[in-house]
């Protein structure tokens, strides 16, 4: 079985480097999973293809021996390409725990802080290592972080000029044409002419922010007023106020108002008592006592239309008991 170098301390294609001495192997040694291209079994298909054995550190390199699952047809395909030299690279899935901008640790070409402490989570067989997302580090929130230059990767901050060795070949080269095009596009979005001063740009940005804040304030005021009116109209309960304000901020005032229009008015306990008194038979009148039902399905079909017309609140109550949700408002 052919061994493989899993990780070294060289600068990788993402502009960072990992100190081999800072890699914690303890957890991985208890679960030495081997994957294909860092794919996890989230979809129920990409299962591990084997395990990594004989894991060790030699001369600043992390080395191991992949062992492929012989009961898995796909794993056997990868093993065949591995043993015949068509696949030759592995890549470490690392969870960074500590990084450092120390210039003493920075090598030529490095653009991100050095990973001084991390945890080995998994090892993958890959077609091209440390290139086009072949090397990926797992963040503390278990999300994969793509460490390409310019992406927001808090786990691996970009180096500042003060952290980078002051050599001519490592200083970024500014393209004045790109800068000019970028500024021109920004000016057009701000409604400013080409050649506008920094003061004009700042003023335009402040004005844009003021308008956005004002619009948000007006929307919140309208949503709040609509919700408070719905409470006054007994469409919703007072304890639901915050929920519907949040709903209105995302859905809009018009959608919120339409929602309230479709909702029946809430009944007070006193209204229910009064309705019971009005519908109760007169004592001694010789009438049979009013029937009570638990759900709409218990009401005979011959009585449902009459119940809907004469006792709409009772009809809606039985409807909700039958189907688990309110029926549309009764006309």
């Amino acid at each position: 079985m052919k061994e493989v170098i899993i990780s070294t301390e060289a600068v990788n294609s993402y502009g960072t480097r990992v100190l081999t001495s800072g890699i914690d192997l303890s957890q991985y040694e208890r679960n030495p999973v081997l994957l294909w291209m860092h794919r996890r079994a989230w979809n129920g298909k990409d299962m591990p293809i084997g395990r990594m054995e004989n894991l060790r550190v030699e001369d600043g390199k992390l080395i191991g021996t992949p062992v492929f699952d012989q009961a898995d047809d796909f794993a056997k395909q990868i093993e065949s390409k591995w043993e015949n030299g068509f696949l030759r690279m592995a890549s470490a899935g690392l969870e960074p725990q500590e990084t450092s901008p120390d210039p003493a640790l920075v090598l030529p070409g490095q653009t991100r802080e050095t990973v001084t402490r991390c945890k080995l989570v998994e090892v993958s067989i890959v077609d091209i290592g440390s290139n086009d997302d072949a090397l990926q580090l797992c963040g503390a929130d278990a999300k994969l972080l793509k460490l390409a230059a310019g992406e927001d990767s808090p786990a691996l901050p970009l180096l500042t000029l003060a952290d980078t060795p002051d050599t001519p070949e490592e200083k970024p080269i500014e393209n004045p044409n790109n800068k000019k095009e970028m500024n021109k596009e920004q000016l057009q979005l701000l409604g400013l002419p080409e050649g506008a001063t920094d003061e004009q740009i700042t003023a335009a940005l402040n004005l844009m922010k003021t308008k956005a804040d004002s619009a948000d304030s007006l929307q919140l005021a309208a949503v709040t007023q609509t919700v408070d009116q719905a409470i006054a109209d007994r469409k919703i309960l007072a304890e639901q106020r915050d929920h519907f304000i949040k709903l209105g901020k995302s859905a809009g005032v018009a959608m919120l108002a339409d929602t309230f229009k479709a909702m029946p008015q809430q009944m007070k306990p006193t209204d229910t008592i009064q309705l019971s008194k009005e519908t109760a038979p007169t004592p001694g009148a010789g009438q049979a006592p009013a029937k009570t039902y638990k759900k709409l399905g218990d009401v005979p079909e011959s009585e449902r239309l009459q119940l809907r017309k004469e006792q709409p609140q009772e009809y809606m109550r039985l409807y909700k008991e039958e189907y688990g949700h309110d029926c549309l408002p009764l006309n």
Side-chain angles (χ1 to χ4, degrees):
M1 292 184 290
K2 297 181 179 180
E3 296 182 335
V4 64
I5 297 175
I6 300 169
S7 179
T8 72
E9 296 185 349
V11 178
N12 57 48
S13 62
Y14 297 101
T16 187
R17 58 190 293 257
V18 180
L19 299 186
T20 306
S21 60
I23 302 178
D24 182 1
L25 305 177
S26 57
Q27 174 62 29
Y28 182 74
E29 288 174 338
R30 291 192 290 267
N31 182 40
V33 63
L34 182 68
L35 305 179
W36 164 246
M37 298 293 289
H38 299 287
R39 294 177 182 172
R40 297 286 304 283
W42 304 117
N43 57 7
K45 298 180 180 179
D46 298 315
M47 304 297 291
I49 60 174
R51 64 179 181 271
M52 188 65 67
E53 293 185 350
N54 196 23
L55 197 67
R56 65 195 186 278
V57 175
E58 293 182 0
D59 299 325
K61 301 175 183 178
L62 180 61
I63 301 173
T65 303
V67 177
F68 297 90
D69 184 359
Q70 297 301 306
D72 187 322
D73 290 339
F74 178 73
K76 292 171 67 175
Q77 293 179 25
I78 301 301
E79 180 186 25
S80 175
K81 295 182 182 296
W82 179 261
E83 294 298 331
N84 289 289
F86 295 104
L87 289 171
R88 301 184 178 183
M89 301 190 74
S91 177
L94 302 170
E95 181 181 311
Q97 296 175 326
E98 184 178 292
T99 63
S100 172
D102 186 354
L105 300 175
V106 177
L107 296 182
Q110 188 171 341
T111 58
R112 292 185 180 271
E113 292 187 3
T114 303
V115 179
T116 55
R117 286 199 317 110
C118 61
K119 182 170 69 174
L120 181 62
V121 178
E122 52 90 3
V123 177
S124 289
I125 300 298
V126 296
D127 49 7
I128 302 176
S130 191
N131 190 17
D132 293 336
D133 299 338
L135 174 61
Q136 297 173 311
L137 305 189
C138 291
D141 58 355
K143 294 182 179 179
L144 292 177
L145 302 177
K146 297 181 180 180
L147 307 181
E151 294 206 22
D152 185 14
S153 301
L156 286 178
L158 288 167
L159 292 170
T160 64
L161 292 178
D163 302 323
T164 309
D166 190 13
T167 55
E169 64 273 17
E170 293 169 17
K171 290 184 178 179
I173 300 175
E174 182 177 315
N175 187 334
N177 292 328
N178 288 343
K179 185 175 181 181
K180 182 177 179 180
E181 288 298 323
M182 184 182 297
N183 287 338
K184 182 179 179 180
E185 182 179 355
Q186 292 174 343
L187 292 174
Q188 289 176 348
L189 292 174
L190 292 173
L192 295 175
E194 189 173 356
T197 64
D198 290 343
E199 289 77 9
Q200 290 174 316
I201 295 175
T202 301
L205 290 172
N206 287 334
L207 179 60
M208 181 180 296
K209 183 178 185 304
T210 300
K211 290 181 177 180
D213 292 343
S214 177
D216 289 342
S217 298
L218 290 175
Q219 182 188 23
L220 179 58
V223 167
T224 302
Q225 182 179 3
T226 303
V227 171
D228 288 341
Q229 185 61 48
I231 294 174
D233 293 340
R234 289 167 31 197
K235 295 297 185 73
I236 61 174
L237 302 176
E239 52 264 32
Q240 297 175 301
R241 185 174 186 270
D242 292 342
H243 167 76
F244 280 99
I245 288 178
K246 183 178 180 181
L247 177 64
K249 289 169 65 177
S250 60
V253 179
M255 180 67 72
L256 185 66
D258 290 341
T259 301
F260 289 146
K261 288 180 181 178
M263 294 174 66
Q265 190 179 60
Q266 299 283 340
M267 291 188 65
K268 294 181 180 179
T270 53
D271 294 338
T272 305
I273 295 173
Q274 182 62 31
L275 179 62
S276 300
K277 291 181 178 179
E278 293 174 356
T279 57
T282 303
Q287 299 179 354
K291 297 180 181 179
T292 57
Y293 302 99
K294 292 185 177 181
K295 56 184 180 179
L296 191 60
D298 297 335
V299 182
E301 291 186 1
S302 58
E303 298 178 15
R304 290 185 187 177
L305 182 59
Q306 181 179 1
L307 178 67
R308 179 184 175 96
K309 291 181 178 179
E310 298 179 1
Q311 301 182 49
Q313 296 296 335
E314 178 66 4
Y315 181 92
M316 288 190 289
R317 183 186 71 80
L318 296 174
Y319 185 98
K320 185 172 183 179
E321 290 293 329
E322 179 74 20
Y323 299 104
H325 59 84
D326 294 328
C327 67
L328 295 175
L330 303 178
N331 295 327

